[in-house]
Amino acid sequence: GGARAAVSCARETRKGLRASRDARHLDSGCAQELVPALRELSGKLHARIRVSGGIKKPAVSGNLRLQKVRVRVDGAPPLEKVDARVNLSSKQVRLVSLSARSGRGLLTAKGHVELKQLRPSSFALDARSTLFDLGVGPLKNSAFFGNLGVKGTLSKDNTLTADVRLRNGSLRLAGLGGHRKLHSVKPLADVVLEEKKDPRKKLRPKKDVKPARPLKLKIKVAVEPMRVY
């Protein structure tokens, strides 16, 4: 499998870079190397990306469009009719629209990532789910309704801070009789994850190469009262 693409690229000149890329068609052949659990990937990808300007500060512009994409991984129901539109610039990646179906349900979303020197600095996502089939592990044959909001920043010291809020949530569990209501959850304590250093590895630092900083996560989660039935 693979993806068919057409690429045009000019050599580096005194004025800088000029490049463009158009790509179409998806299948699981290439993607399975990165995601072994992937069993199916089909649909269309329309990508038009342009890179120009100086070598140190390239200007990026373009757009991506997914149409009628189907994704299936082990242990989860397939995502079908995935459609998405993404606009790209040197200052922002904007998810204009996203829609996907799982079972009889629908997931829609929109959001953006702000960039500084092509590095993410802040982000936001708003998603809405209607009868969305979860179908994973103990939630098999279950469906979720609700709104998910995420806002956050990525600082220069590689600290990702995010506020996650779940609103108007309902969870339908297979075989669960009656109606139950879950208590609201206050913002949870910050979660900080850092990569452990292996004392057995003693690598000599390379000259003129800055060591990569570990990503730190600080996430607050708030859940409004949820109905379970």
Side-chain angles (χ1 to χ4, degrees):
R4 293 188 295 179
V7 181
S8 62
C9 182
R11 292 183 178 180
E12 180 182 336
T13 66
R14 293 181 180 179
K15 294 183 179 180
L17 294 172
R18 285 187 180 180
S20 63
R21 179 184 181 96
D22 293 328
R24 290 188 179 185
H25 300 290
L26 295 171
D27 67 42
S28 59
C30 297
Q32 278 182 329
E33 298 295 328
L34 301 175
V35 186
L38 182 64
R39 290 295 172 263
E40 182 181 352
L41 175 64
S42 61
K44 293 183 179 181
L45 164 66
H46 302 271
R48 187 175 295 273
I49 303 173
R50 299 179 182 86
V51 181
S52 60
I55 306 299
K56 294 183 179 180
K57 294 183 179 180
V60 180
S61 64
N63 55 76
L64 304 174
R65 178 72 188 271
L66 292 174
Q67 289 183 304
K68 298 181 179 179
V69 173
R70 176 182 167 90
V71 182
R72 183 171 64 87
V73 298
D74 282 339
L79 290 178
E80 301 179 300
K81 297 182 180 179
V82 180
D83 287 271
R85 290 172 52 211
V86 179
N87 291 340
L88 306 173
S89 73
S90 299
K91 295 183 178 181
Q92 185 186 76
V93 177
R94 176 167 291 276
L95 177 61
V96 180
S97 63
L98 168 69
S99 64
R101 291 193 172 275
S102 178
R104 294 179 297 163
L106 175 66
L107 174 70
T108 59
K110 61 182 180 179
H112 66 269
V113 178
E114 301 296 328
L115 305 175
K116 289 184 179 180
Q117 297 180 346
L118 298 182
R119 183 181 184 276
S121 60
S122 63
F123 56 90
L125 176 71
D126 288 312
R128 174 175 295 183
S129 171
T130 305
L131 200 64
F132 195 73
D133 187 7
L134 299 176
V136 179
L139 296 179
K140 189 175 182 180
N141 299 324
S142 300
F144 176 73
F145 304 74
N147 299 332
L148 175 67
V150 182
K151 291 184 178 180
T153 60
L154 179 62
S155 63
K156 292 183 179 180
D157 66 354
N158 237 23
T159 298
L160 188 148
T161 304
D163 290 322
V164 181
R165 183 172 293 276
L166 187 61
R167 309 181 308 276
N168 304 323
S170 296
L171 182 62
R172 189 189 69 183
L173 299 178
L176 183 64
H179 294 266
R180 292 168 172 80
K181 191 173 183 180
L182 299 184
H183 295 290
S184 59
V185 178
K186 295 180 179 179
L188 303 179
D190 292 350
V191 179
V192 180
L193 301 177
E194 293 188 42
E195 184 180 358
K196 264 192 172 182
K197 294 182 180 180
D198 190 342
R200 296 172 297 179
K201 294 182 179 180
K202 294 182 179 180
L203 301 178
R204 295 180 180 179
K206 296 181 180 180
K207 295 182 179 180
D208 302 327
V209 177
K210 294 182 179 180
R213 292 178 177 175
L215 178 65
K216 297 180 181 179
L217 300 180
K218 293 184 178 181
I219 303 175
K220 293 182 180 179
V221 179
V223 181
E224 291 185 358
M226 181 184 298
R227 186 168 65 98
V228 180
Y229 65 100

